[in-house]
Amino acid sequence: MQHTSYSVDVAAPAGVVYALIADTTQWPLFVPPSVHVERLDFDGTLDRFGMWATANGTVTSWVSRRSLDPRLRTIDFHQEVPAPPATSMGGRWTVEELGPARSRLNLLHRFEVRDDDPADAEWLTRATDTNSRAELDELKRTAELWTKLDGLLMTFEDSVRVHGPSELVYDFLYRAGDWPAHLPEITRADVAEDRQGVQLLDTDTLGADGVTETSTAVRVCFPHAGRIVFKQTRTPRLLAAHTGEWAVNPDETGVTAVATHQVLLREEDIEPVLGPGADLTQARDHVRRTLGGASTRVLHLARRHAETAVRTLIPQR
């Protein structure tokens, strides 16, 4: 059995820090290795979820169960279905109160690999160390923004109505590598799918100011549910974190295609990106307009893709 432990002091109240680690659905925004969390069960104390995360440059997934104790500010966790090469993985989060606005966040891991294989143990120790340090560093940074965090967080969605097959709408959203042929602002889109349903998407996007921004995203695809969730692991300036989802929702009369975004703004980039004197309100408007506009254009193209196919198949009189 291997053990690791990490701690970081945070200039934020213990309750704020605990709230960040307690809500796993927000981890993709606040915890760099976390790509997507699919909550399976939650009753306020017991939390069971599927997790997709990066580890040593790859995307892996597992199912975890956690037990939360808000009074003691502890969270015990255990992977029900460990991600290889682990055969067991568990641990504990604790938050200690050091003062009215000071706390200490601790993370303990214990894990095993099959037959104590040295290569597997080294790989898992390295992944655990890299991810744990990144998690604590970003949780510290986010928690210390606690007085202004609400203003830096954004959630919004756009949708279009489609009179065509949901499968074709999903097909267009899934084949992101084809988007440059339809969207002139996307000058490059490279997709790698080494593991079925998990895509790595690299894009170059030409902005209105003539500057090309390169971004990288992990996309987890759920074709039977008509969903593609994503997290940008390399974000444009102004965005500290960006996650979202493409959803295709059929009903009796057609399909609603939806793009949802969750964003954490990087306050120190506001003036360098938007110009001297720009403020948070302008930054929020800019992000809503640019991200919403881009995803709406993709949705309209997905609609055209589906509806054009329908018109082609229907005999013209």
Side-chain angles (χ1 to χ4, degrees):
M1 179 77 70
Q2 305 283 329
H3 294 81
T4 63
S5 64
Y6 306 88
S7 297
V8 65
D9 288 353
V10 185
V16 169
V17 178
Y18 184 81
L20 288 179
I21 62 172
D23 185 2
T24 51
T25 64
Q26 292 294 305
W27 276 23
L29 273 181
F30 301 145
V31 178
S34 299
V35 172
H36 175 61
V37 172
E38 192 82 3
R39 179 165 273 168
L40 305 174
D41 294 295
F42 182 65
D43 65 5
T45 300
L46 297 178
D47 186 13
R48 184 170 177 266
F49 56 91
M51 168 73 81
W52 285 257
T54 57
N56 290 341
T58 64
V59 179
T60 186
S61 61
W62 61 86
V63 175
S64 278
R65 182 183 295 272
R66 306 197 312 165
S67 177
L68 287 73
D69 189 331
R71 185 179 64 84
L72 296 178
R73 299 194 187 96
T74 63
I75 300 174
D76 292 308
F77 62 89
H78 177 74
Q79 291 184 6
E80 287 185 1
V81 183
T87 55
S88 72
M89 171 69 78
R92 168 176 280 199
W93 293 91
T94 61
V95 182
E96 303 173 53
E97 185 172 12
L98 302 180
R102 292 180 58 246
S103 55
R104 178 170 296 142
L105 176 60
N106 306 298
L107 173 58
L108 307 177
H109 282 99
R110 57 182 181 276
F111 55 86
E112 292 181 294
V113 297
R114 188 179 304 277
D115 300 324
D116 291 324
D117 181 88
D120 286 346
E122 188 279 331
W123 189 96
L124 190 55
T125 299
R126 179 159 45 90
T128 302
D129 182 73
T130 300
N131 284 9
S132 297
R133 294 181 188 279
E135 289 167 7
L136 265 63
D137 286 349
E138 191 61 22
L139 286 166
K140 169 184 168 68
R141 191 191 77 83
T142 302
E144 291 179 348
L145 295 170
W146 66 283
T147 59
K148 57 181 74 173
L149 191 57
D150 285 348
L152 297 173
L153 289 170
M154 300 178 63
T155 299
F156 55 91
E157 70 174 39
D158 297 286
S159 64
V160 301
R161 191 69 179 158
V162 183
H163 299 288
S166 60
E167 294 83 359
L168 291 180
V169 179
Y170 182 88
D171 176 69
F172 186 88
L173 299 174
Y174 173 79
R175 291 188 294 104
D178 295 342
W179 290 357
H182 306 280
L183 293 159
E185 66 268 30
I186 300 180
T187 58
R188 180 182 65 89
D190 296 330
V191 178
E193 190 170 347
D194 296 332
R195 175 183 169 191
Q196 187 172 6
V198 178
Q199 297 180 336
L200 302 181
L201 172 63
D202 287 306
T203 58
D204 288 337
T205 303
L206 183 64
D209 57 1
V211 176
T212 296
E213 293 272 13
T214 298
S215 63
T216 303
V218 177
R219 307 204 319 164
V220 182
C221 306
F222 302 96
H224 297 298
R227 299 170 58 216
I228 300 172
V229 298
F230 66 86
K231 175 178 179 173
Q232 284 192 315
T233 54
R234 178 180 178 182
T235 56
R237 293 178 303 165
L238 198 58
L239 306 186
H242 176 208
T243 66
E245 178 175 331
W246 303 97
V248 181
N249 303 317
D251 55 40
E252 296 82 358
T253 61
V255 175
T256 301
V258 183
T260 304
H261 299 271
Q262 296 89 31
V263 171
L264 175 61
L265 297 174
R266 185 179 286 114
E267 188 177 26
E268 60 269 26
D269 280 352
I270 292 176
E271 289 199 23
V273 172
L274 300 181
D279 59 17
L280 183 58
T281 298
Q282 291 171 287
R284 292 175 66 90
D285 289 343
H286 172 80
V287 169
R288 178 66 179 94
R289 186 173 61 255
T290 54
L291 285 184
S295 57
T296 298
R297 287 191 291 276
V298 172
L299 292 175
H300 280 291
L301 287 167
R303 178 175 67 184
R304 187 175 71 181
H305 177 69
E307 293 181 348
T308 300
V310 171
R311 287 195 297 270
T312 301
L313 292 172
I314 296 176
Q316 302 299 309
R317 298 183 183 275

